[in-house]
Amino acid sequence: MSVSSNQKVMSNNYLFEPNPSVSVPIRGDDRRFPVNRIFCVGRNYQAHAAEMGDSIDKSTAEPFYFIKDLSAICESGSTIPYSAGTSDLQYEMEWVVAIHKGGFEIEEAQAQEHIFGYACGLDMTRRDLQQKGKDKRRPWDLGKNFENAAVISEIVPVTTTGVLTAGPIELRVNGETQQTGDLSDLIWNASELIAHLSKFYTLQPGDLIYTGTPEGVGPVVSGDKIEGCVAGVGSIELTIS
Ligand code: MN
């Protein structure tokens, strides 16, 4: 019998132990948020697009995405090794939207109903490998999708925060501010992203959307302590060993 990838196979009989499910703590709840997929939005703040040598005209442009594997998830407060294969590991502070209700071709006006909560995220990037991919017109995976590349804080339910559309987003390295922005500067807001992304994927409970980074991305070195925050959501910490 052939089994499509959408069908769940229940079995206790595996060649080796399957990886455990990946989950994130929820503020004010003993239960954890099981992570399904990790979508990341590229260039969603004009000032960051500019520092990447781009300018976004929303009247003609569409958002674009890349995906990280579950193995990239890393909880806030972790100490991680400097990533393999790069000499330009960089931080990108991001506001993360957590989906608890799936859907295909979700209407923008209904998009908020699909959001369970928000988190702070770090889209860790091997910038040199990403740049090499761009130069050679190859995929970004080596630059974006690797262990500990999707750092995430606890998820805070919307019932706690209220619907967020504005508020400061910041990142400090060793106490020094490197990134500042405001959620109101997102080129595509959370509802627009959900409406757009769900034209291409059937969104599922547990999907995370890293909504893009403001200006000021930069490198880290061993020993650095990264701290970020999104007003109304909370904070995130990461140390490079
Ligand atoms: Mn990013």
Side-chain angles (χ1 to χ4, degrees):
M1 187 185 76
S2 73
V3 176
S4 91
S5 60
N6 287 339
Q7 288 174 280
K8 303 284 186 245
V9 179
M10 299 300 287
S11 174
N12 297 318
N13 188 22
Y14 293 106
L15 176 63
F16 52 85
E17 197 60 36
N19 287 330
S21 56
V22 174
S23 63
V24 176
I26 301 169
R27 186 185 297 169
D29 197 323
D30 290 339
R31 297 168 299 176
R32 292 174 66 91
F33 182 92
V35 180
N36 185 55
R37 286 176 297 191
I38 307 163
F39 295 103
C40 302
V41 184
R43 294 176 201 165
N44 200 16
Y45 290 83
Q46 204 63 256
H48 172 64
E51 73 184 350
M52 292 287 114
D54 200 1
S55 172
I56 310 294
D57 177 356
K58 195 179 174 183
S59 67
T60 54
E62 286 187 59
F64 70 95
Y65 311 93
F66 52 92
I67 292 175
K68 300 199 188 210
D69 289 326
L70 291 180
S71 59
I73 287 282
C74 169
E75 276 194 34
S76 173
S78 299
T79 297
I80 63 165
Y82 192 90
S83 300
T86 183
S87 52
D88 193 13
L89 180 64
Q90 297 204 356
Y91 51 79
E92 294 190 0
M93 179 65 202
E94 310 208 357
W95 178 50
V96 179
V97 171
I99 302 293
H100 68 155
K101 178 183 166 193
F104 180 64
E105 294 184 340
I106 297 165
E107 296 290 337
E108 196 183 312
Q110 267 76 58
Q112 291 298 329
E113 300 167 17
H114 296 259
I115 301 176
F116 169 73
Y118 308 119
C120 298
L122 293 169
D123 166 14
M124 298 303 292
T125 301
R126 299 192 281 211
R127 191 73 68 199
D128 44 358
L129 301 188
Q130 182 198 25
Q131 189 59 49
K132 197 185 271 187
K134 287 182 192 174
D135 292 345
K136 294 183 181 292
R137 299 186 172 208
R138 288 175 180 166
W140 286 10
D141 298 67
L142 284 179
K144 287 291 195 179
N145 190 8
F146 52 96
E147 292 90 345
N148 300 318
V151 188
I152 189 160
S153 71
E154 63 180 358
I155 293 173
V156 188
V158 175
T159 50
T160 301
T161 60
V163 172
L164 290 185
T165 55
I169 175 169
E170 295 176 357
L171 179 138
R172 298 182 299 281
V173 179
N174 304 325
E176 200 165 309
T177 300
Q178 299 293 346
Q179 290 193 276
T180 55
D182 195 287
L183 300 186
S184 62
D185 293 330
L186 283 166
I187 298 171
W188 289 280
N189 65 32
S191 293
E192 291 170 320
L193 291 172
I194 288 168
H196 185 266
L197 186 59
S198 68
K199 292 177 187 172
F200 300 91
Y201 298 91
T202 301
L203 290 186
Q204 297 170 358
D207 287 345
L208 300 177
I209 305 173
Y210 281 62
T211 59
T213 195
E215 70 198 286
V217 300
V220 291
V221 296
S222 288
D224 279 351
K225 183 173 186 186
I226 304 168
E227 299 166 285
C229 61
V230 176
V233 178
S235 59
I236 189 169
E237 281 185 24
L238 183 72
T239 302
I240 313 297
S241 68

